[in-house]
């Protein structure tokens, strides 16, 4: 019973001592211990096994038990001491709390005493400093009163002096006095409620008004709008009056400037009236020479009369520009029918030169009103053609190289006066556009005549096909027009010029390029099969002469040059035109036209070589393949095809050396045309014996090797054929080889033959299977049973995307085909 009670006690104790992980971790941090008895996961069995690892160690059991009992006794003593020490803790805590409360009460009382004493001290300081504050306020008020009285005295005296000096026109003294009076009057803004102050302010305003009217009258007397001539030099009185105008209402200054400039330009309006001979565009230089003389005359006579910050010289020039633009626009509207291109360009050139002169002389700081803001905006900063260092020869050279977008040198700062006069010519630029339309039409006609006179370009197999020189001339002319027009306007005239460019790009493409492509003929030139099979006479099979082939390649190279340069031209036009009009510039249609010329040229080259090989393929299909007794070297028709390829392809490759990508396109298109045609003629070879099929297989392999080597055939530099081209040749010719292998296979047993066909060709077409049966020379009865079996053995195509993958799995890999062909070659060698 005792043991059971002890066990229950131990279990209860363990249940009570199950601490949470957080508590256990905190205990370990506060009381770190390495004793296994202090661990939370203490295991008595493991601990005993540690103390007695072997049976021999049980001999020391009494000693170990004594040590544990001693440890238990010490723990009991420690626990007893701690428990006894905690009996008086509660009483001590209450006593300490009472003592703390008493201390807080004492501290609160002391703080209250200190606060009372501070309030008494503050009251005492206020009583002491009350008199001092009163003295400070009195001093401040007295100082303000004295200052205000002094200002009032100065204001009253200044107003009296100002009125007296105004009557005597002592503008030099008035200028300084008026500024001082204005400064003093600012101090009295808050005293305007006082009648005397308000009266003085009104007298100052009246004096300013009187000064303004008096100065305007003096200027009107000195510079009358009509009547007497101007005085010989400036007046000191007027110079001082200008200093006063700077202080008065800005409208006075503007009125003085306006009247002086109007009077200064009155002679110009008389000399260059609309009915005068010098007013027309051919004598526009005289206008600019006149204003230059007037500016020099102004500097000598009146340069010191007006303040420098009025920029009177620039204002005169700007007003002259406005008047000139208005007058030129009026006279050009009246005499629009008399405007010719040379005259218009002459006037524009002289005007832009004058605007450049103004930009070098003046800063453009007076261009502030809204009308000038638009004129002030310079042309696009990306314009690379306004550089002083560039020359027409350099531009033509860059254009010939197709280098329209070369980085340019940094150009001079923009001209703030650009368009201030030349804007008036923009409505009449249609004359320039019409002239360019006419010139470009004549240029295209000259290109056509030169081509007919000079004939096609000479064969050139060393440096590649030459680009027609006329295309470089056309784009050089385009660039000149574009630069010239962009200097005249970046608005609608540029759009009109772009339309003209589009028109003649299309005409060049059709009249010069497409119009001069050699025409194909439907007949075969009277060539016989026997002549095709003679190697010495194989050159007669070419439908195009050497000169015609070179011409096609030259036209193709020219179209490629035009395509690339047209794209650059579009980019440059977008740079030069206003940002709001860039969307209206689109030369995509013209680029498509040149792409069509390129495609047609390649198609002509393909058709020519294809047609040259047709008689050889026809000869192949007409041979008696069932009578072939042994397998020999390649057949004559293969030799003929190879001969035509070796004649044409090197010429085309050398003439397209500068456009390798289009030569690759030619090879791909020829392979896509020749291989299906070869397979079609292959089906016409019927019936075929076993030996005949082997000979055809050897011929097919020979053609395959030649086609794979087509891009570099006849070249000293051997290059690897493009992967895209190789893939087409391997796929097409492998199909031809598989057809022949099926023909070579025995048709008995039928199931094996049909399965072999499906495996090799992966072609589920009944028509193709019928053609192969014809090639084997089977009877109709045998063919009917074969076709019925073929339909039964056809695999059911899976639905969805698995169909294509399953069909591709049936196709033999190129490695398998190459090994089969090697076996066939060995077999042929053995028979030979």
């Amino acid at each position: 019973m005792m043991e059971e009670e002890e066990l229950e006690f131990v279990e209860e104790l363990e249940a009570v001592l199950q601490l949470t992980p957080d508590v256990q971790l905190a205990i370990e941090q506060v009381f770190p211990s390495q004793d296994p008895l202090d661990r939370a996961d203490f295991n008595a069995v493991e601990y005993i096994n540690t103390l007695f690892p072997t049976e021999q160690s049980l001999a020391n059991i009494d000693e170990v038990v004594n040590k544990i009992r001693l440890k238990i006794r010490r723990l009991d003593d420690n626990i007893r001491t701690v428990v006894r020490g905690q009996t008086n803790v509660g009483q001590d805590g209450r006593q300490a709390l009472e003592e703390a409360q008493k201390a807080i009460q004492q501290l609160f009382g002391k703080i209250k005493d200190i606060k009372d004493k501070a309030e008494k001290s503050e009251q005492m300081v206020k009583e002491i400093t009350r008199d001092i504050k009163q003295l400070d306020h009195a001093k401040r008020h007295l100082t303000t009163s004295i200052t205000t009285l002094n200002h009032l005295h100065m204001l009253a005296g200044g107003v009296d002096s100002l009125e007296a000096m105004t009557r005597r026109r002592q503008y030099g003294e008035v200028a300084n006095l008026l500024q001082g009076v204005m400064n003093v009057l600012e101090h009295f803004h808050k005293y305007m409620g006082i009648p005397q102050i308000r009266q003085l302010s009104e007298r100052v305003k009246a004096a300013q008004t009187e000064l303004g009217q008096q100065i305007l009258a003096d200027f009107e007397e000195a510079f009358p709008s009509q009547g007497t001539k101007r005085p010989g030099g400036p007046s000191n009185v007027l110079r001082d009056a200008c200093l006063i105008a700077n202080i008065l209402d800005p409208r006075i200054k503007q009125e003085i400037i306006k009247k002086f400039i109007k009077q200064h330009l009155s002679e110009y309006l008389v000399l260059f009236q609309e009915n005068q001979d010098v007013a027309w565009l051919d004598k526009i230089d005289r206008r600019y020479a006149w204003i230059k003389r007037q500016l020099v005359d102004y500097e000598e006579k009146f340069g010191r009369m007006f303040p420098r910050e009025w920029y009177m010289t620039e204002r005169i020039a700007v007003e002259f520009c406005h008047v000139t633009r208005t007058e030129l626009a009026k006279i050009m509207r009246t005499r629009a029918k008399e405007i010719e291109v040379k005259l218009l360009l002459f006037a524009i050139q002289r005007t832009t030169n004058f605007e450049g002169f103004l930009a070098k002389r003046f800063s453009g700081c007076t261009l502030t009103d809204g009308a000038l803001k638009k004129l002030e905006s310079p042309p696009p900063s990306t314009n690379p053609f306004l550089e002083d260092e560039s020359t027409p020869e350099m531009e033509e050279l860059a254009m010939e190289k197709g280098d329209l977008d070369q980085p340019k040198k940094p150009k001079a700062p923009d001209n703030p006066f650009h368009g201030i006069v030349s804007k008036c010519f923009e409505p009449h630029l249609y004359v320039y556009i019409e002239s360019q339309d006419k010139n470009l039409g004549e240029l295209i006609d000259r290109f056509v005549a030169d081509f007919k006179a000079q004939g096609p370009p000479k064969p050139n197999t060393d440096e590649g096909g030459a680009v027609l020189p006329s295309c470089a001339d056309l784009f050089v002319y385009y660039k000149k027009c574009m630069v010239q027009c962009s200097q005249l306007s970046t608005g609608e005239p540029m759009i009109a010029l772009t339309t003209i460019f589009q028109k003649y790009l299309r005409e060049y493409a059709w009249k010069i390029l497409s119009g001069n492509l050699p025409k194909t003929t439907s007949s075969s030139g009277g060539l016989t099969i026997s002549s095709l099979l003679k190697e010495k006479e194989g050159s007669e099979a070419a439908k195009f002469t050497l000169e015609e082939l070179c011409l096609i390649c030259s036209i193709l190279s020219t179209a490629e040059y035009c395509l690339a340069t047209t794209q650059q031209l579009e980019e440059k036009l977008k740079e030069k035109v206003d940002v709001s009009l860039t969307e209206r510039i689109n030369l995509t249609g013209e680029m498509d036209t040149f792409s069509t010329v390129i495609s047609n040229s390649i198609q002509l080259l393909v058709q020519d070589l294809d047609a040259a090989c047709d008689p050889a393929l026809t000869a192949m299909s007409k041979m008696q393949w069932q009578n072939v007794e042994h397998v020999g070297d390649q057949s004559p028709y293969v030799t003929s095809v190879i001969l035509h390829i070796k004649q044409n392809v090197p010429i085309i490759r050398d003439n397209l050396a500068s456009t390798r990508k289009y030569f690759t396109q030619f090879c791909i298109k020829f392979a896509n045309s020749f291989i299906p045609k070869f397979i079609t003629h292959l089906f016409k070879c019927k019936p075929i014996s076993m030996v005949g099929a082997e000979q055809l297989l050897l011929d097919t392999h020979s053609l395959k090797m030649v086609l794979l080597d087509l891009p570099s055939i006849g070249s000293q530099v051997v290059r690897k054929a493009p992967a895209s081209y190789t893939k087409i040749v391997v796929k097409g010719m492998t199909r031809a080889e598989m057809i022949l292998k099926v023909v070579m296979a025995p048709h008995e047993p039928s199931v094996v033959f049909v399965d072999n066909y499906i495996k090799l060709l992966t072609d589920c077409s009944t028509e193709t299977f019928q053609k192969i049966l014809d090639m084997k020379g089977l009877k109709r009865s045998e063919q009917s049973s074969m076709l019925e079996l073929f339909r039964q053995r056809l695999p059911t195509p899976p639905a969805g995307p698995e169909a294509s993958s399953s069909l591709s799995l049936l196709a033999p890999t190129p490695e398998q085909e190459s090994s089969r062909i090697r076996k066939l070659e060995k077999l042929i060698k053995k028979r030979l």
Side-chain angles (χ1 to χ4, degrees):
M1 291 294 292
M2 291 295 291
E3 292 179 356
E4 292 179 357
E5 291 177 357
E6 289 179 1
L7 289 173
E8 292 177 357
F9 175 74
V10 170
E11 292 177 355
E12 293 176 359
L13 184 62
E14 288 180 353
V16 172
L17 294 179
Q18 289 296 328
L19 303 177
T20 62
D22 295 337
V23 175
Q24 189 65 38
L25 180 61
I27 293 174
E28 290 177 358
Q29 292 177 352
V30 176
F31 301 105
S33 174
Q34 298 297 328
D35 193 342
L37 296 174
D38 294 333
R39 295 180 61 182
D41 57 347
F42 174 75
N43 190 320
V45 176
E46 291 181 359
Y47 182 67
I48 293 173
N49 289 336
T50 303
L51 294 178
F52 305 104
T54 62
E55 293 182 1
Q56 290 78 8
S57 61
L58 292 175
N60 300 326
I61 189 170
D62 294 335
E63 183 181 351
V64 173
V65 169
N66 290 333
K67 287 182 180 180
I68 292 176
R69 286 178 179 172
L70 178 60
K71 192 171 185 178
I72 291 172
R73 195 178 299 115
R74 287 177 181 173
L75 286 174
D76 289 340
D77 293 341
N78 291 338
I79 292 172
R80 190 180 302 109
T81 303
V82 172
V83 170
R84 290 177 179 174
Q86 293 296 321
T87 54
N88 298 326
V89 170
Q91 184 177 356
D92 295 341
R94 285 192 295 273
Q95 185 177 356
L97 179 61
E98 292 175 357
E99 292 176 355
Q101 290 176 346
K102 291 179 181 179
I104 291 172
Q105 290 177 355
Q106 293 175 1
L107 180 61
F108 181 75
K110 291 179 181 180
I111 293 173
K112 187 175 181 181
D113 293 342
I114 293 171
K115 183 178 179 182
D116 294 340
K117 291 179 180 179
E119 291 177 353
K120 292 179 181 179
S121 300
E122 184 181 1
Q123 187 66 27
M124 188 182 299
V125 169
K126 286 182 178 179
E127 291 176 358
I128 294 172
T129 59
R130 184 179 301 136
D131 296 336
I132 298 175
K133 287 183 178 180
Q134 289 178 353
L135 291 174
D136 287 341
H137 289 312
K139 179 182 178 181
R140 190 180 303 113
H141 294 159
L142 183 60
T143 303
T144 304
S145 300
I146 293 173
T147 303
T148 303
L149 287 174
N150 287 334
H151 287 163
L152 183 60
H153 177 70
M154 293 169 59
L155 181 62
V159 171
D160 293 337
S161 301
L162 181 63
E163 292 174 343
M165 291 178 182
T166 301
R167 287 191 294 271
R168 294 194 297 270
R169 283 183 167 77
Q170 296 176 345
Y171 294 141
E173 291 81 359
V174 168
N176 295 325
L177 180 60
L178 180 60
Q179 186 63 54
V181 170
M182 296 294 295
N183 292 336
V184 172
L185 189 60
E186 290 179 0
H187 294 283
F188 290 93
H189 280 320
K190 55 186 176 182
Y191 303 118
M192 286 300 171
I194 302 174
Q196 292 82 355
I197 302 298
R198 186 168 59 252
Q199 184 179 3
L200 286 174
S201 176
E202 292 173 354
R203 288 176 60 187
V204 171
K205 292 180 180 178
Q208 288 178 321
T209 304
E210 184 180 355
L211 272 172
Q213 295 175 352
Q214 191 170 297
I215 290 171
L216 289 176
D218 292 343
F219 268 95
E220 180 65 28
E221 182 180 353
F223 304 101
S225 301
Q226 298 176 352
T228 60
K229 296 175 65 177
R230 293 179 304 194
S235 168
N236 291 334
V237 175
L238 295 180
R239 181 178 61 193
D240 295 337
C242 290
L243 298 177
I244 297 175
N246 269 338
I247 306 171
L248 297 176
D249 190 341
R251 287 177 292 183
I252 303 297
K253 171 185 171 182
Q254 295 297 331
E255 188 68 20
I256 293 172
I257 293 173
K258 181 179 178 181
K259 287 187 176 181
F260 178 81
I261 293 177
K262 182 178 179 181
Q263 196 276 338
H264 209 74
L265 296 178
S266 58
E267 180 184 349
Y268 171 71
L269 293 174
V270 174
L271 290 175
F272 295 91
Q273 285 183 357
E274 187 176 347
N275 56 0
Q276 297 294 326
D277 184 54
V278 293
W280 189 227
L281 299 180
D282 59 343
K283 296 182 177 59
I284 198 170
D285 278 341
R286 298 191 182 184
R287 294 177 181 267
Y288 304 132
W290 182 89
I291 188 59
K292 290 177 181 178
R293 291 195 303 270
Q294 293 302 313
L295 293 178
V296 173
D297 181 64
Y298 166 81
E299 291 288 351
E300 292 176 353
K301 294 181 179 179
F302 306 103
R304 297 183 180 180
M305 186 174 75
F306 294 99
R308 184 181 298 275
E309 62 270 17
W310 284 22
Y311 301 103
M312 285 300 294
T313 309
E314 180 176 328
R315 291 181 185 275
I316 292 171
V318 170
E319 184 61 25
F320 166 81
C321 291
H322 293 330
V323 173
T324 302
R325 187 176 73 249
T326 304
E327 292 297 319
L328 286 176
K330 187 189 303 180
I331 193 172
M332 283 192 292
R333 281 196 302 270
T334 305
R335 305 171 62 177
K337 295 182 179 180
E338 301 178 34
I339 300 177
E340 298 178 353
V341 176
K342 292 183 178 179
L343 179 62
L344 181 65
L345 293 179
F346 167 78
I348 293 174
Q349 183 62 41
R350 294 295 186 269
T351 302
T352 53
N353 290 343
F354 176 69
E355 292 172 352
F357 162 77
L358 294 181
K360 294 178 181 178
R361 179 80 183 275
F362 306 116
S363 63
C365 59
T366 60
L367 302 174
T368 55
D369 53 301
L372 290 177
K373 280 295 180 181
K374 184 177 180 181
L375 299 175
E376 187 180 14
S377 58
S381 60
T382 56
N383 187 343
F385 307 104
L386 297 179
E387 305 169 40
D388 296 335
E389 296 81 6
S390 62
T391 62
E393 291 78 9
M394 294 171 62
E395 292 174 355
E396 290 182 15
L397 180 60
M399 187 70 179
E400 289 174 359
K401 294 181 178 179
D403 207 5
L404 275 172
D405 52 353
Q406 279 286 339
K408 308 294 180 183
K409 297 180 181 178
K411 67 169 193 172
D414 296 321
N415 180 2
F417 296 93
H418 177 81
I420 192 170
V421 179
S422 58
K423 204 76 174 177
C424 66
F425 296 109
E426 186 166 324
H428 303 277
L429 285 179
Y430 68 89
V431 178
Y432 170 79
I433 302 298
E434 291 174 354
S435 171
Q436 297 307 323
D437 188 3
K438 180 181 177 183
N439 292 342
L440 283 169
E442 294 174 352
L443 188 64
I444 295 294
D445 293 340
R446 180 167 64 83
F447 289 161
V448 173
D450 290 347
F451 190 93
K452 291 180 179 179
Q454 298 173 4
K458 302 299 180 183
N460 182 8
T461 59
D462 295 329
E463 300 179 358
V467 175
L468 297 179
S470 58
C471 73
D473 296 340
L474 177 67
F475 282 103
V476 167
Y477 190 82
Y478 272 12
K479 183 175 182 181
K480 288 181 179 178
C481 295
M482 178 177 61
V483 173
Q484 196 173 44
C485 188
S486 65
Q487 293 174 342
L488 307 180
S489 171
T490 58
E492 288 294 335
M494 284 292 289
I495 301 299
L497 184 66
T498 302
T499 305
I500 299 298
F501 285 175
Q502 291 174 301
K503 173 183 175 182
Y504 289 102
L505 282 174
R506 291 191 296 268
E507 286 202 13
Y508 185 85
W510 296 123
K511 290 184 177 180
I512 308 298
L513 300 181
S514 292
N516 288 304
L517 283 174
K519 302 298 186 292
T520 58
T521 57
S522 58
S523 64
S524 60
L527 299 176
T528 62
I529 296 177
S530 59
S531 66
L532 285 171
L533 301 180
K534 295 179 181 179
E535 294 183 0
K536 293 183 179 180
E537 297 177 2
S539 59
E540 298 177 5
K543 301 180 71 173
F544 289 144
T545 64
L546 177 61
E547 290 77 12
E548 289 174 333
L549 286 176
C550 293
L551 172 61
I552 295 173
C553 294
S554 180
I555 289 176
L556 193 154
S557 300
T558 304
E560 186 207 18
Y561 172 86
C562 293
L563 176 63
T565 313
T566 301
Q567 185 177 2
Q568 298 174 13
L569 176 66
E570 180 184 23
E571 294 172 359
K572 285 299 170 186
L573 286 169
K574 288 183 177 180
E575 288 181 9
K576 305 225 175 303
V577 79
D578 291 339
V579 178
S580 59
L581 301 176
T582 53
E583 295 298 328
R584 295 173 59 183
I585 294 180
N586 186 357
L587 303 183
T588 305
E590 289 63 41
M591 289 187 274
D592 291 342
T593 301
F594 289 116
S595 298
T596 302
V597 174
I598 293 172
S599 179
N600 292 342
S601 301
I602 295 174
Q603 192 61 36
L604 277 178
L605 296 173
V606 171
Q607 288 177 0
D608 177 64
L609 183 56
D610 208 13
C613 297
D614 279 347
L617 295 179
T618 303
M620 176 192 77
S621 63
K622 293 184 177 181
M623 285 184 63
Q624 301 297 322
W625 291 101
Q626 75 275 19
N627 297 329
V628 177
E629 298 179 354
H630 62 273
V631 178
D633 202 352
Q634 63 187 24
S635 302
Y637 76 89
V638 176
T639 304
S640 177
V641 170
I642 295 174
L643 182 61
H644 290 306
I645 290 176
K646 287 184 177 180
Q647 285 178 345
N648 282 26
V649 173
I651 297 173
I652 296 171
R653 181 183 59 242
D654 293 339
N655 281 276
L656 295 182
S658 59
T659 56
R660 293 291 302 177
K661 64 178 181 179
Y662 293 117
F663 175 69
T664 302
Q665 286 187 22
F666 159 76
C667 294
I668 291 174
K669 286 189 176 183
F670 174 71
N672 283 328
S673 174
F674 176 80
I675 294 175
K677 187 178 291 186
F678 173 74
I679 293 176
T680 301
H681 282 79
L682 196 62
F683 282 130
K684 294 180 181 179
C685 299
K686 54 186 179 181
I688 304 176
S689 64
M690 177 66 70
V691 179
E694 291 178 358
Q695 179 64 51
L696 275 172
L697 187 59
L698 179 62
D699 295 342
T700 303
H701 181 68
S702 299
L703 286 175
K704 179 180 179 181
M705 293 298 104
V706 171
L707 289 175
L708 287 174
D709 192 42
L710 181 71
S712 59
I713 194 168
S715 174
Q716 296 179 353
V717 180
V718 179
R719 294 183 179 179
K720 185 179 180 180
S724 57
Y725 171 76
T726 304
K727 183 178 179 181
I728 292 171
V729 173
V730 170
K731 182 179 179 181
M733 296 305 291
T734 300
R735 174 175 169 78
E737 292 172 344
M738 292 302 104
I739 290 172
L740 292 172
K741 288 184 179 182
V742 173
V743 173
M744 292 169 58
H747 60 277
E748 293 294 341
S750 303
V751 175
V752 176
F753 177 76
V754 171
D755 291 343
N756 191 39
Y757 168 83
I758 294 173
K759 179 181 178 182
L760 291 179
L761 287 181
T762 67
D763 190 347
C764 299
S765 170
T766 308
E767 183 181 357
T768 305
F769 187 68
Q770 176 75 57
K771 291 178 181 179
I772 289 181
L773 295 179
D774 291 338
M775 292 173 70
K776 290 184 69 67
L778 296 181
K779 298 178 180 179
R780 287 298 175 185
S781 58
E782 294 177 325
Q783 290 186 15
S784 301
S785 59
M786 282 284 191
L787 287 171
E788 184 63 28
L789 180 61
F790 173 72
R791 294 188 185 96
Q792 295 174 1
R793 303 292 291 179
L794 276 177
T796 304
E802 296 180 1
S804 58
S805 61
S806 63
L807 290 176
S808 62
L809 291 175
L810 297 175
T813 62
E815 292 79 6
Q816 293 171 340
E817 296 309 321
S818 61
S819 70
R820 292 174 181 174
I821 291 170
R822 283 196 296 270
K823 291 179 181 178
L824 179 62
E825 290 175 349
K826 291 179 182 179
L827 177 63
I828 294 172
K829 289 179 181 178
K830 288 180 181 179
R831 293 193 177 183
L832 291 174

Short mmCIF file of all heavy atoms in Angstrom, two decimals, residues 350-366:
data_model
loop_
_atom_site.label_atom_id
_atom_site.label_comp_id
_atom_site.label_asym_id
_atom_site.label_seq_id
_atom_site.Cartn_x
_atom_site.Cartn_y
_atom_site.Cartn_z
N ARG A 350 17.54 85.68 -99.14
CA ARG A 350 17.95 86.99 -98.61
C ARG A 350 17.29 87.27 -97.26
O ARG A 350 17.90 87.85 -96.36
CB ARG A 350 17.58 88.09 -99.62
CG ARG A 350 18.34 88.01 -100.92
CD ARG A 350 19.83 88.27 -100.68
NE ARG A 350 20.59 88.35 -101.92
CZ ARG A 350 21.17 87.33 -102.52
NH1 ARG A 350 21.07 86.11 -101.96
NH2 ARG A 350 21.85 87.47 -103.63
N THR A 351 16.06 86.81 -97.13
CA THR A 351 15.35 87.05 -95.86
C THR A 351 15.94 86.23 -94.73
O THR A 351 16.15 86.74 -93.62
CB THR A 351 13.86 86.71 -96.04
OG1 THR A 351 13.31 87.50 -97.10
CG2 THR A 351 13.10 86.99 -94.76
N THR A 352 16.24 84.97 -94.99
CA THR A 352 16.85 84.15 -93.94
C THR A 352 18.24 84.65 -93.58
O THR A 352 18.66 84.58 -92.42
CB THR A 352 16.91 82.68 -94.39
OG1 THR A 352 17.56 82.60 -95.67
CG2 THR A 352 15.53 82.08 -94.49
N ASN A 353 18.96 85.18 -94.57
CA ASN A 353 20.27 85.79 -94.26
C ASN A 353 20.10 86.99 -93.34
O ASN A 353 20.89 87.18 -92.41
CB ASN A 353 20.97 86.21 -95.55
CG ASN A 353 21.43 85.02 -96.37
OD1 ASN A 353 21.51 83.90 -95.86
ND2 ASN A 353 21.71 85.24 -97.65
N PHE A 354 19.06 87.79 -93.59
CA PHE A 354 18.81 88.95 -92.74
C PHE A 354 18.42 88.52 -91.33
O PHE A 354 18.85 89.12 -90.34
CB PHE A 354 17.72 89.82 -93.37
CG PHE A 354 17.31 90.99 -92.51
CD1 PHE A 354 18.18 92.04 -92.30
CD2 PHE A 354 16.07 91.01 -91.89
CE1 PHE A 354 17.81 93.12 -91.49
CE2 PHE A 354 15.70 92.07 -91.09
CZ PHE A 354 16.56 93.13 -90.89
N GLU A 355 17.61 87.48 -91.24
CA GLU A 355 17.25 86.96 -89.92
C GLU A 355 18.48 86.45 -89.18
O GLU A 355 18.60 86.60 -87.95
CB GLU A 355 16.21 85.85 -90.06
CG GLU A 355 14.86 86.34 -90.54
CD GLU A 355 13.89 85.22 -90.87
OE1 GLU A 355 14.32 84.06 -90.89
OE2 GLU A 355 12.70 85.52 -91.12
N GLY A 356 19.41 85.82 -89.91
CA GLY A 356 20.66 85.40 -89.29
C GLY A 356 21.48 86.59 -88.83
O GLY A 356 22.12 86.54 -87.76
N PHE A 357 21.47 87.67 -89.60
CA PHE A 357 22.17 88.90 -89.19
C PHE A 357 21.57 89.45 -87.88
O PHE A 357 22.31 89.87 -86.98
CB PHE A 357 22.06 89.94 -90.32
CG PHE A 357 22.35 91.35 -89.89
CD1 PHE A 357 23.65 91.77 -89.68
CD2 PHE A 357 21.32 92.26 -89.68
CE1 PHE A 357 23.92 93.07 -89.27
CE2 PHE A 357 21.58 93.55 -89.27
CZ PHE A 357 22.89 93.97 -89.06
N LEU A 358 20.25 89.44 -87.78
CA LEU A 358 19.61 89.92 -86.55
C LEU A 358 19.99 89.05 -85.35
O LEU A 358 20.21 89.56 -84.25
CB LEU A 358 18.09 89.91 -86.72
CG LEU A 358 17.50 90.90 -87.75
CD1 LEU A 358 15.98 90.77 -87.77
CD2 LEU A 358 17.90 92.33 -87.42
N ALA A 359 20.08 87.73 -85.57
CA ALA A 359 20.42 86.82 -84.47
C ALA A 359 21.84 87.08 -83.96
O ALA A 359 22.12 86.94 -82.77
CB ALA A 359 20.28 85.37 -84.93
N LYS A 360 22.75 87.45 -84.88
CA LYS A 360 24.11 87.75 -84.45
C LYS A 360 24.21 89.10 -83.74
O LYS A 360 25.05 89.28 -82.86
CB LYS A 360 25.04 87.75 -85.67
CG LYS A 360 25.20 86.38 -86.31
CD LYS A 360 26.10 86.47 -87.54
CE LYS A 360 26.24 85.09 -88.21
NZ LYS A 360 27.08 85.17 -89.44
N ARG A 361 23.33 90.02 -84.11
CA ARG A 361 23.40 91.39 -83.57
C ARG A 361 22.63 91.54 -82.26
O ARG A 361 23.07 92.24 -81.34
CB ARG A 361 22.84 92.35 -84.62
CG ARG A 361 22.84 93.80 -84.21
CD ARG A 361 24.19 94.44 -84.37
NE ARG A 361 24.19 95.82 -83.91
CZ ARG A 361 23.81 96.87 -84.65
NH1 ARG A 361 23.41 96.66 -85.90
NH2 ARG A 361 23.86 98.08 -84.17
N PHE A 362 21.47 90.86 -82.16
CA PHE A 362 20.59 91.06 -81.01
C PHE A 362 20.33 89.74 -80.29
O PHE A 362 20.51 88.66 -80.86
CB PHE A 362 19.26 91.70 -81.45
CG PHE A 362 19.42 92.96 -82.24
CD1 PHE A 362 19.01 93.02 -83.57
CD2 PHE A 362 20.00 94.07 -81.67
CE1 PHE A 362 19.17 94.17 -84.30
CE2 PHE A 362 20.16 95.25 -82.40
CZ PHE A 362 19.75 95.30 -83.72
N SER A 363 19.84 89.88 -79.05
CA SER A 363 19.57 88.67 -78.23
C SER A 363 18.15 88.15 -78.39
O SER A 363 17.86 87.02 -78.04
CB SER A 363 19.81 88.99 -76.76
OG SER A 363 18.91 89.99 -76.31
N GLY A 364 17.23 89.00 -78.88
CA GLY A 364 15.84 88.58 -79.03
C GLY A 364 15.03 88.72 -77.76
O GLY A 364 13.95 88.14 -77.63
N CYS A 365 15.53 89.52 -76.78
CA CYS A 365 14.82 89.65 -75.50
C CYS A 365 13.53 90.45 -75.62
O CYS A 365 12.69 90.41 -74.71
CB CYS A 365 15.73 90.31 -74.46
SG CYS A 365 16.31 91.94 -74.95
N THR A 366 13.34 91.20 -76.70
CA THR A 366 12.11 91.99 -76.86
C THR A 366 10.99 91.19 -77.50
O THR A 366 9.88 91.72 -77.68
CB THR A 366 12.39 93.23 -77.72
OG1 THR A 366 12.84 92.82 -79.01
CG2 THR A 366 13.46 94.10 -77.09
#
